[in-house]
């Protein structure tokens, strides 16, 4: 495979050779034209000067004087003969007396010049005061032009050889400057795509042109993605550890609370020992919210020592639930009923302590009393707050990532559009098939990269919830006709139109109906599914159809005869940067985000995408979208 550097060298060499050849030919042609014009003009002037004096010899029939005047024409370069003809075109006198050449009659001239058999003949009338006496005819040998042409061709070939050598040298020099950074950039991006590793070192460059901008944006993108990946890993690890701690604490506290309630209920005879040793607060209150008993743990937690509280309202500000329980005498005998909720207790120093308390009716000294058992959950609340902050940081990180991807999309497209623009100018401005071929490669690769950038930008919009749905009624017939044109174009551009047959199989009953949904988004999803089928299918068929799977549900499907999907891979194909498997990622182009975008858009439409596939037998993707019926199509 030819490298970009060799293509640049070849392109520049061909362009230089073509331009130099055209320039040299144009210059040679111009010189020959100017030389011929000068020769014709100079000959005409010389003949006109001699003709002005020939009227007298003709009038007096003086051959000797006429011949003397003809001899003055011997100074004309490449003159082989000259002759004077009278009014009847009879030869009067000739410069070459011994062997008179076959000079054509003057009647054959359409002007004053005639070219025949490597000679040029020029006729000038001999007149005096508007009276014609005859004509002067000169014969010029044009064989000298052949020698001049050979010399000119030799000089052009020498000049071309020198200039081509110089252009090849410059192409090699500047091709290395252009191709080396692009080759390094391509290698780095291939490594990132293969290993999903953003820790690749940045590329040093001091260039200020579009390639330098492209490499600078790549360095910034890799740095930001690497930082984002580390933050995501740290946040995920912190969240996992916090969840484990929280689950462990909740499990421990729940287990301890259950044990405490069982102890209080089953060992009421050992009240004092239990109240003294339990590491939880225990409070017994009557119907008037008066405190009957408090254990030492509760007193110590609330800061009471010698003076003890009399009413529950002295430290518990939120007693609506307690009053509600007390106001229901029917449940007083349901001693197995436990009510658990969070509350806040106020200490003697004014500090508010969050607690988790359980309320149950028990029998104490022959009376039904309300027992509240509570634990301090300050540490638990602190952990919850840390989890909330960690979640907010993770959400902010996602927002910054999406904003960064949006910025990178703009920064990448600007230099890439420049490259595509210049490539299209080269493609349209040359007649060389080789140059058109190489520029087409650049244009195709650039458009593929631009499509990838657009997919990343679409993904960032979806993650920022910036996608706006525009649900309008549309005709299924016009929708499928647009899809048909789009799919046929993609199939032709892929170069597989001779190996793959496109089949459109919509339900005929739906083609005349109208539906309400976001037509553009559905078309985008089907285009992504078709591209996916086209990528993994080398030959066979790709079938696109539509049918009603349930009332109000429209189901589209894209079926191919490609490589298929292994059952182990199916749960991951809609994840970011996944493409069937690592081996598929190496064999097929793309980063594996098309299905992710399609699945997210389908969820925005309250639909879903499912897949049915077997390795080696192809795949069928189903898109199910809820729709409403309409009577006509909305105007755009």
């Amino acid at each position: 495979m030819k490298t970009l550097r060799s293509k640049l060298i070849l392109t520049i060499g061909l362009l230089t050779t073509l331009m130099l050849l055209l320039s040299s030919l144009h210059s040679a042609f111009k010189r020959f034209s100017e030389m011929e014009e000068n020769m014709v003009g100079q000959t005409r002037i010389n003949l006109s000067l001699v003709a002005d004096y020939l009227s007298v010899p003709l009038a007096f029939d003086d051959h000797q004087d006429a011949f003397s005047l003809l001899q003055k024409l011997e100074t004309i370069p490449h003159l082989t003969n000259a002759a004077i003809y009278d009014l009847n075109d009879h030869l009067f006198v000739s410069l070459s007396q011994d062997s008179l050449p076959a000079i054509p009659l003057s009647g054959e001239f359409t002007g004053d010049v005639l070219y025949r058999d490597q000679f040029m003949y020029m006729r000038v009338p001999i007149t005096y005061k508007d009276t014609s006496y005859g004509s002067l005819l000169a014969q010029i040998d044009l064989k000298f032009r052949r020698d001049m042409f050979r010399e000119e061709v030799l000089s052009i070939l020498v000049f071309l050889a020198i200039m081509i050598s110089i252009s090849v040298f410059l192409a090699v020099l500047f091709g290395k400057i252009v191709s080396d950074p692009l080759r390094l950039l391509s290698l780095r991006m291939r490594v990132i795509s293969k290993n999903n590793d953003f820790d690749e070192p940045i590329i040093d460059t001091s260039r200020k042109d579009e390639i330098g901008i492209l490499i600078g944006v790549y360095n910034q993108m890799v740095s930001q993605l690497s930082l984002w990946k580390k933050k995501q890993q740290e946040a995920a690890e912190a969240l996992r550890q916090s969840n484990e701690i929280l689950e462990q604490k909740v499990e421990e506290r729940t287990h301890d609370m259950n044990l405490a309630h069982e102890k209080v209920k089953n060992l009421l005879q050992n009240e004092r020992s239990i109240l003294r040793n339990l590491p939880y607060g225990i409070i017994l209150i009557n119907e008037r919210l008066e405190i009957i008993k408090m254990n030492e743990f509760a007193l110590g937690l609330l800061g009471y020592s010698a003076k003890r509280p009399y009413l529950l309202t002295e430290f518990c500000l939120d007693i609506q639930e307690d009053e509600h329980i007390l106001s229901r005498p029917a449940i007083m005998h349901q001693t197995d009923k436990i009510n658990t909720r969070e509350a806040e207790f106020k200490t003697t120093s004014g500090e508010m302590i969050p607690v988790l308390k359980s309320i149950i009716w028990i029998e104490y000294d022959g009376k039904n009393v309300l027992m509240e058992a509570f634990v301090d959950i300050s540490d638990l609340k602190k952990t919850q707050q840390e989890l909330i902050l960690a979640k907010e940081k993770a959400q902010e990180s996602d927002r910054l990532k999406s904003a960064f991807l949006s910025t990178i999309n703009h920064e990448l497209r600007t230099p890439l559009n420049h490259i595509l623009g210049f490539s299209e100018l080269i493609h349209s401005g040359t007649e060389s098939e080789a140059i058109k071929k190489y520029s087409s490669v650049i244009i195709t690769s650039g458009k593929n990269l631009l499509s990838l950038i657009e997919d990343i930008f679409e993904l960032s919009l979806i993650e920022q919830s910036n996608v706006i749905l525009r649900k309008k009624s549309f005709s299924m017939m016009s929708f499928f006709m647009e899809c048909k044109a789009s799919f046929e174009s993609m199939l032709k551009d892929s170069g597989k139109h001779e190996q793959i047959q496109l089949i459109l199989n919509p339900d005929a009953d739906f083609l005349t109906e109208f539906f309400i949904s976001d037509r553009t988004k559905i078309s985008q999803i089907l285009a992504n599914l078709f591209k996916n089928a086209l990528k993994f299918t080398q030959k066979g068929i790709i079938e696109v159809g539509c049918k009603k799977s349930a009332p109000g549900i429209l189901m589209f499907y894209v079926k191919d005869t490609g490589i298929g999907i292994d059952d182990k891979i199916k749960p991951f194909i809609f994840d970011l940067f996944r493409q069937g498997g690592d081996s598929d990622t190496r064999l097929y182009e793309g980063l594996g985000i098309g299905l992710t975008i399609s699945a997210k858009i389908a969820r925005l439409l309250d639909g879903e995408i499912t897949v049915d596939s077997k390795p080696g037998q192809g795949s069928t993707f189903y898109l199910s979208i809820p729709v409403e019926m309409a009577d006509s199509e909305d105007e755009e």
Side-chain angles (χ1 to χ4, degrees), residues 78-92:
H78 311 290
L79 180 73
T80 58
N81 196 2
I84 301 173
Y85 290 86
D86 58 17
L87 291 176
N88 296 321
D89 286 333
H90 295 148
L91 180 64
F92 181 74

Side-chain angles (χ1 to χ4, degrees), residues 261-433:
H261 285 125
E262 290 297 325
K263 288 181 180 179
V264 172
K265 184 176 180 179
N266 299 326
L267 302 176
L268 191 58
Q269 298 298 326
N270 299 322
E271 169 197 354
R272 294 190 179 186
S273 176
I274 294 174
L275 295 177
R276 186 181 303 114
N277 297 314
L278 279 177
Y280 306 101
I282 302 295
I283 304 176
L284 302 179
I285 60 175
N286 58 19
E287 299 174 348
R288 297 181 296 276
L289 300 179
E290 295 175 345
I291 296 176
I292 301 173
K293 202 74 173 178
M294 289 182 69
N295 68 347
E296 295 179 1
F297 182 87
L299 293 172
L301 180 64
L302 298 175
Y304 291 97
S305 56
K307 182 182 177 181
R308 300 195 175 196
Y310 177 69
L311 294 172
L312 181 65
T313 55
E314 292 182 27
F315 56 85
C316 183
L317 304 182
D318 183 14
I319 61 171
Q320 294 181 357
E321 184 66 24
D322 301 77
E323 291 177 339
H324 178 65
I325 295 174
L326 290 170
S327 66
R328 293 184 295 174
I331 68 169
M332 293 177 58
H333 301 290
Q334 298 178 7
T335 56
D336 59 341
K337 182 67 175 180
I338 300 176
N339 294 278
T340 303
R341 67 184 182 91
E342 293 184 8
E344 284 188 331
F345 285 172
K346 184 178 181 181
T347 66
T348 55
S349 62
E351 180 185 359
M352 302 302 295
I353 299 176
V355 297
L356 178 66
K357 68 176 183 178
S358 297
I359 306 172
I360 186 173
W361 285 102
I362 65 171
E363 185 176 352
Y364 181 77
D365 286 341
K367 297 180 181 180
N368 288 324
V369 298
L370 202 62
M371 182 184 74
E372 292 192 1
F374 60 93
V375 293
D376 182 6
I377 59 172
S378 298
D379 294 337
L380 183 61
K381 286 292 183 181
K382 183 178 179 181
T383 302
Q384 288 179 342
Q385 188 64 29
E386 291 176 351
L387 289 175
I388 292 174
L389 292 176
K391 179 182 178 182
E392 292 176 351
K393 288 181 178 179
Q395 292 174 343
E396 177 65 12
S397 176
D398 287 340
R399 187 192 67 79
L400 292 175
K401 179 203 68 174
S402 298
F404 166 74
L405 289 176
S406 179
T407 302
I408 288 301
N409 170 69
H410 173 73
E411 296 298 332
L412 281 175
R413 283 195 298 183
T414 300
L416 187 55
N417 282 330
H418 290 171
I419 294 174
L420 287 175
F422 283 116
S423 299
E424 290 175 350
L425 285 177
I426 293 174
H427 186 274
S428 62
T430 182
E431 297 180 355
S432 172
E433 293 299 326

Side-chain angles (χ1 to χ4, degrees), residues 501-505 530 541-545 557-560:
Q501 178 185 4
L502 173 61
I503 300 177
L504 290 179
N505 189 25
F530 184 83
I541 64 169
I542 297 179
E543 180 179 345
V544 181
Y557 68 89
V558 178
K559 181 179 180 181
D560 63 67

